[in-house]
Amino acid sequence: MARSDDTLPARGTALTVVSWVLQVIGAGLFLLMGFGKVAGWPDFITTFENIGAGQWLRYFVGVAELAGGIGVLIPRLAGLAAAGLTLVVVGAALTHVVILQDSGWMLPVALIVLMGALAWIRRAETASLPSYLRGLLGRG
């Protein structure tokens, strides 16, 4: 479905470039990490064993990261996906600080900043999602 330029809020060129840079970086990182968790890379298995919540959590987080990594590449969904990924990495940072008590919190904190910035930049698209969905369902 083609989108016209008036269906998404206007934004400056610089913010559009920043947004796409964050989207591509976020997609690459989260698709890689999500794949590693779902595929069972040894470091991820060990980390989730040390957390003590069971390997189901590794699969859950991996699928969430894969979905978010795809979502940040879709302009209309990028802000919502970035907000969701921000929650995932807040959980990761807290887990590293409180449970694992290691330095693994540094990457999640950097990702909180990156995905938080993307969620903020794409906030207008996120806010327009309900009316867009109503329009798709014929209730607009």
Side-chain angles (χ1 to χ4, degrees), residues 28-123:
L29 288 171
F30 283 104
L31 289 171
L32 179 65
M33 291 188 304
F35 177 79
K37 288 177 181 82
V38 171
W41 291 354
D43 286 349
F44 289 121
I45 290 173
T46 302
T47 298
F48 281 85
E49 283 174 359
N50 293 338
I51 292 170
Q55 293 299 310
W56 68 270
L57 183 59
R58 174 175 54 87
Y59 287 109
F60 179 81
V61 171
V63 168
E65 289 175 344
L66 288 170
I70 293 167
V72 296
L73 292 175
I74 302 168
R76 191 171 298 277
L77 299 177
L80 185 62
L85 288 170
T86 299
L87 294 175
V88 170
V89 291
V90 164
L94 289 172
T95 299
H96 280 283
V97 169
V98 175
I99 297 172
L100 299 173
Q101 298 178 348
D102 63 15
S103 62
W105 58 269
M106 291 184 276
L107 177 59
V109 168
L111 291 173
I112 289 167
V113 172
L114 293 178
M115 291 300 99
L118 178 57
W120 181 81
I121 292 168
R122 292 287 190 174
R123 70 193 180 282

